Amino acid sequence: MVNTKFTGFALLSCTVLLLAGCSKSNAAKLELDQHASMLAEVIAPVLEDPAPELKKVVPEAPPTPPWAPADPSFSYVLEIDHGIRNDEGGKGAFLAPRAHGKHNGVDFLAEKGAKLLSACNGKAKADKRGGYGNVVQVVCKLPDALGGDEGLHASFFYAHLDKVNVPKKWTAIHAGDKLGTVGKSGNAAGPKIKPHLHLEVIIRGSEEDAMLERHSGVVPEAAEAANRFFELLDESCLKPAHFTSSREVRRERRVDPFALLMCASKPKPKLTTPENQELAAAQIRWSQVYKAQGFNVDEGPRLAAPRN
Ligand SMILES: [Zn+2]
């Protein structure tokens, strides 16, 4: 709302200045006098008005969409977001073709040394795992909307780290804590492969099962927990947010990490292009793989509920 008292004062000041500048001509002065009195008539009531109450300009918070927990306990896994890796070593999308079959995770393109954050409150431990190089596993209980009354758990597997900041024994960790840094350890060492975080997420029925999860092979007994999780993910997030991927978001007990983070974590940082030209050339934007009416997958924020 315009502050009418201030506007009135400003108009009056202008008139006084005009009068001072035109004193040489009596005729002009007379005309200006008339103008001034007309203006005064208009301005006087405005000036006498009590100061109008300033309307609050703070916009009301948009209603929380059903797929956006009011206080999400999960965190995005990087402070700076550069999308997905796509270089001579291959594409980093979930289920992208690989010599051994399909890609089990998502490769988050990032500068070597970029800080890696714990996705959730739970337990973490470090390890060395051949082709995956330096790894950190983080196990957490899923939010109720995704884990149900069963208390399903997620195991996050971070690979190819440079530095590691957690011990080799299970240790309590909080969402957003530093796990280590992005690197090129394991089979990401070659010059054709740009630095990235290889992240996998597996769903298990309990904390114990999640902690025993090795992130390899097939585990038939995990199917029930995974089925329940995907039912909840679909109902509580993917469907209402109209979220789709150009590939499936499930492979047995594995979920597409980006889909899970969009549904469970605080909004991610805005996608930016790396300053390093070689890294920039290896970038795929999230919106080239994912479509969503409920999320801006590149910019980060959750959007108001789409109309059906
Ligand atoms: Zn990968």
Side-chain angles (χ1 to χ4, degrees), residues 169-231:
K169 282 195 294 186
W170 287 109
T171 309
I173 198 142
H174 293 97
D177 283 355
K178 185 177 178 181
L179 299 177
T181 56
V182 170
K184 286 170 65 67
S185 58
N187 61 16
K192 289 181 178 173
I193 300 180
K194 302 301 166 217
H196 64 275
L197 161 68
H198 170 92
L199 183 67
E200 293 182 20
V201 184
I202 279 180
I203 305 301
R204 298 299 302 264
S206 68
E207 183 182 57
E208 194 187 359
D209 287 348
M211 286 164 75
L212 292 170
E213 176 59 58
R214 292 291 292 163
H215 283 262
S216 68
V218 175
V219 180
E221 64 267 29
E224 197 183 322
N227 288 343
R228 177 66 178 140
F229 164 77
F230 280 100
E231 206 178 277

Side-chain angles (χ1 to χ4, degrees), residues 83-121:
I84 311 173
R85 173 181 79 98
N86 178 26
D87 54 33
E88 290 174 69
K91 284 188 175 149
F94 188 61
L95 305 185
R98 286 288 186 277
H100 57 76
K102 288 176 181 173
H103 192 219
N104 275 327
V106 168
D107 290 345
F108 294 70
L109 185 69
E111 301 278 357
K112 187 178 172 187
K115 201 198 255 187
L116 290 172
L117 311 174
S118 173
C120 44
N121 302 321

